[in-house]
Amino acid sequence: MRTFIIRRLCPASPNVELPHQLVVDAHDLYKSLGKYGLNSETTRIRIPLDDPLYQMVLVHEQKYQKYFDNYLYQIENEFTESERDNAEYLVLWVGNLVYEAWSNMVNFCCEKHCYALGYQVHEPYRLEEKSLGNKHLGNVVSAGYVVSCSLKKELEKHNLTNLRFIPCYKEKRNEIVGYRLNEEKLLPPLEYFDDSKILLKCETSGVPVYTSEIRGQIEIKRDVANEMSDFNATHEMITQNGLRLYLISQRMYQLLIPHVKRNFKCEPIKITD
C-alpha cells in the first residue's frame, strides 16, 4: 500500500495575490516532479508521501508557509490487487455517483446550525430518471450505496449478514430501479476515530464529524472484527451530510467484483491485536 497526496504547488488564492517568485518556483518544481504532475497550468500534483521527491514539496511549502496554511489537500491510499484479495474486511469505495430526487430542505445538527446533515430524503426513496442507468453499484450523493435489481438478487442468494435492501423508485413513477443498501445495526465506536481526526462538533449535543482525509489504513481491533458482519457501517460520521464508512467482508467484496467494472476502489482494513 502507498499513500498519495494530491494538491497544488500554487495554492488557489482568489483574495490574495501570490508572489511572482512563488509562481515561478511552483512551475519549476512541477517540471522536476515529472510523472507526478497532473496539470501543468494549475501545478496540481499527485505524489507518494514516502517518495524522496515529496520532501521538495514540503520545502517549497515551508518557504511560502503563510500561503499554504490551512490549504486543503486530498489523501488517497493505493492498494495492490493481492492486498485487497487477502483482506478480511475492506472499506467500500466506488466512484459511480447516483442522484436522488429530493426536496431542498436541509437538515442541521441542532437549532444552532453548527453543521448541515445534508438534504432531507423522503421514503420511498426516489432516484433521478436514468440516474442509476446501467450501473450495478453506485454511491448516492447524499450518503450510502445503491445496487441494481439484478445485483440485489445475486446478493440475496448468499444471505449476507446485517444487510437490508430498501426499494428505490423512479423520480415520478412507482417503478423500482434499484435498492439502497442499509445496515441493521451500526458498529460500536472505533478506536481509529480519535480526537485528532475530529473536524467539528455540534455545540448542543457534542456529536462530532470526523475528517475524511485518511492516511494509511483504517485499523480495527481483533475483538471488534470477530463480531463484524458481511455489511457494516461505522458509528462515526465522516462527512457533514451524515456519511458513514461502510465496511464489507471479503465474501461480499468478491460477490461485487464481477458487477463493478470501473471506479471500484475498496481499501483493505488493518486488524490489530
Side-chain angles (χ1 to χ4, degrees), residues 187-198 210 217-225 228 234-236 245 247 269-273:
L187 289 171
L190 301 179
E191 291 184 12
Y192 171 84
F193 291 96
D194 56 33
D195 289 348
S196 68
K197 298 180 178 69
I198 292 178
Y210 294 82
Q217 289 174 278
I218 288 182
E219 296 186 3
I220 290 181
K221 292 288 187 181
R222 168 53 66 187
D223 59 345
V224 174
M228 287 171 63
T234 59
H235 180 272
E236 296 84 1
L245 287 181
L247 317 180
I269 293 170
K270 182 178 180 180
I271 299 176
T272 61
D273 296 328

Side-chain angles (χ1 to χ4, degrees), residues 2-32:
R2 299 189 81 183
T3 300
F4 289 76
I5 186 169
I6 300 175
R7 64 184 313 158
R8 294 169 59 167
L9 301 175
C10 252
S13 303
N15 300 319
V16 178
E17 185 176 351
L18 298 175
H20 174 71
Q21 193 58 47
L22 185 160
V23 177
V24 172
D25 289 349
H27 283 278
D28 287 344
L29 177 54
Y30 183 90
K31 294 176 184 177
S32 301

Side-chain angles (χ1 to χ4, degrees), residues 10-268:
C10 252
S13 303
N15 300 319
V16 178
E17 185 176 351
L18 298 175
H20 174 71
Q21 193 58 47
L22 185 160
V23 177
V24 172
D25 289 349
H27 283 278
D28 287 344
L29 177 54
Y30 183 90
K31 294 176 184 177
S32 301
L33 296 179
K35 64 181 179 180
Y36 297 128
L38 294 179
N39 187 305
S40 59
E41 290 186 8
T42 60
T43 63
R44 190 164 177 261
I45 61 168
R46 180 180 185 270
I47 187 169
L49 294 180
D50 60 355
D51 193 298
L53 289 177
Y54 180 56
Q55 296 304 312
M56 297 171 61
V57 177
L58 295 179
V59 170
H60 171 70
E61 293 179 0
Q62 183 63 36
K63 183 178 180 180
Y64 302 102
Q65 184 175 357
K66 74 173 184 177
Y67 298 98
F68 287 94
D69 282 346
N70 302 317
Y71 187 61
L72 297 178
Y73 57 87
Q74 181 181 350
I75 292 291
E76 285 186 356
N77 299 319
E78 190 173 283
F79 296 87
T80 65
E81 184 175 347
S82 175
E83 287 174 317
R84 290 191 292 268
D85 287 342
N86 289 306
E88 290 184 53
Y89 291 93
L90 305 96
V91 181
L92 177 58
W93 289 117
V94 63
N96 300 323
L97 289 178
V98 177
Y99 297 89
E100 287 178 303
W102 53 42
S103 69
N104 289 325
M105 297 295 292
V106 177
N107 291 327
F108 291 92
C109 58
C110 68
E111 293 182 355
K112 294 185 178 181
H113 292 192
C114 310
Y115 56 79
L117 282 173
Y119 294 99
Q120 288 183 354
V121 180
H122 302 285
E123 291 195 42
Y125 293 110
R126 295 189 181 276
L127 302 179
E128 290 185 1
E129 295 287 338
K130 301 181 181 179
S131 180
L132 187 58
N134 59 1
K135 298 188 288 286
H136 289 290
L137 176 62
N139 58 311
V140 185
V141 172
S142 63
Y145 291 90
V146 170
V147 296
S148 65
C149 296
S150 60
L151 180 51
K152 182 246 189 185
K153 290 180 180 179
E154 179 62 29
L155 295 176
E156 283 183 318
K157 294 178 183 177
H158 299 274
N159 298 316
L160 298 174
T161 54
N162 199 41
L163 179 58
R164 181 166 64 95
F165 298 96
I166 301 177
C168 296
Y169 297 88
K170 287 187 175 182
E171 184 175 0
K172 298 179 181 178
R173 289 188 289 171
N174 290 331
E175 179 182 340
I176 295 177
V177 292
Y179 291 82
R180 287 180 67 105
L181 302 181
N182 197 60
E183 73 286 348
E184 297 284 356
K185 62 179 180 179
L186 297 174
L187 289 171
L190 301 179
E191 291 184 12
Y192 171 84
F193 291 96
D194 56 33
D195 289 348
S196 68
K197 298 180 178 69
I198 292 178
L199 180 64
L200 68 164
K201 288 184 178 182
C202 172
E203 294 180 13
T204 302
S205 67
V207 174
V209 169
Y210 294 82
T211 175
S212 59
E213 301 295 351
I214 299 171
R215 296 192 182 203
Q217 289 174 278
I218 288 182
E219 296 186 3
I220 290 181
K221 292 288 187 181
R222 168 53 66 187
D223 59 345
V224 174
N226 288 342
E227 300 297 323
M228 287 171 63
S229 306
D230 289 306
F231 185 72
N232 310 271
T234 59
H235 180 272
E236 296 84 1
M237 296 183 296
I238 64 164
T239 64
Q240 295 179 48
N241 67 345
L243 179 63
R244 305 176 189 277
L245 287 181
Y246 293 88
L247 317 180
I248 60 174
S249 67
Q250 180 65 221
R251 184 166 75 120
M252 184 169 177
Y253 172 66
Q254 292 297 331
L255 292 173
L256 293 175
I257 289 177
H259 299 271
V260 189
K261 304 301 182 183
R262 299 176 60 188
N263 300 321
F264 197 36
K265 301 178 181 180
C266 294
E267 298 186 1

